[in-house]
Amino acid sequence: MEINNFVVRRAVASDAAAVAEVWLRSFDAALPSVRRAHTDDQVRSWFREVVVPGQETWVATVEGAAVGMVVLDGEELDQLYLDPAWQGQGIGGRLVDLAKRRRPAGLALWTFQVNESARRFYERHGFVAGESTDGHRNEEREPDIRYVWRPAQP
């Protein structure tokens, strides 16, 4: 798939709906066995009222349409989702690179243990697996794993 007019920029209020739709499509495609803790409308409201206005949210667009998003919250890479149709095009790597530039001291994130493609992706991008849990601390009650990235020391 050819990528024309690719842009990564800070999300604004008018992007919240499109960013939420990317999240919904990606979660459903990547994690069909994981029970979502919130309805579609609750997810849309969360992006509109909490995430986009209150967290460092970036949107990746192609031809003006949202195809990916990343949310940074302190040193947490809190959300990274791509529209399933745009996976494998290097967009996720560009979003991780942006996150690393924005947090040069390091990043950490959680992903579900069943999300093997995400785990491989983060490991390819220098994240190291650490703590694993049985899911008791997340809303989905799904076993998860913590990944950490620290820059190489000179």
Side-chain angles (χ1 to χ4, degrees):
M1 185 176 306
E2 188 174 333
I3 300 179
N4 293 315
N5 298 322
F6 177 77
V7 174
V8 176
R9 60 176 172 73
R10 280 296 291 264
V12 296
S14 60
D15 294 315
V19 168
E21 295 305 319
V22 167
W23 189 99
L24 289 165
R25 285 191 301 274
S26 180
F27 191 101
D28 290 347
L31 300 164
S33 66
V34 175
R35 178 195 67 83
R36 277 203 284 126
H38 300 282
T39 67
D40 289 3
D41 285 341
Q42 289 170 326
V43 169
R44 290 178 186 111
S45 175
W46 177 60
F47 273 96
R48 184 179 60 250
E49 297 172 16
V50 177
V51 176
V52 172
Q55 295 179 318
E56 185 177 340
T57 305
W58 294 80
V59 60
T61 64
V62 174
E63 299 284 340
V67 298
M69 50 81 76
V70 64
V71 178
L72 301 172
D73 186 10
E75 287 192 1
E76 290 290 312
L77 195 163
D78 192 52
Q79 308 284 328
L80 175 67
Y81 287 88
L82 296 178
D83 187 299
W86 288 93
Q87 291 179 356
Q89 305 295 313
I91 295 170
R94 290 165 117 170
L95 292 174
V96 167
D97 289 345
L98 168 72
K100 288 177 176 179
R101 286 192 310 274
R102 301 286 302 165
R103 303 295 189 273
L107 288 164
L109 62 90
W110 289 97
T111 193
F112 296 121
Q113 291 181 26
V114 298
N115 195 347
E116 292 180 18
S117 63
R119 293 174 61 185
R120 285 190 306 272
F121 171 82
Y122 290 122
E123 290 167 7
R124 276 194 319 271
H125 289 277
F127 286 80
V128 177
E131 177 186 7
S132 295
T133 80
D134 63 3
H136 69 278
R137 291 185 295 203
N138 65 56
E139 293 178 308
E140 295 80 5
R141 301 294 181 246
E142 182 71 29
D144 55 7
I145 188 164
R146 182 126 172 112
Y147 279 88
V148 176
W149 168 79
R150 297 287 178 240
Q153 298 299 316

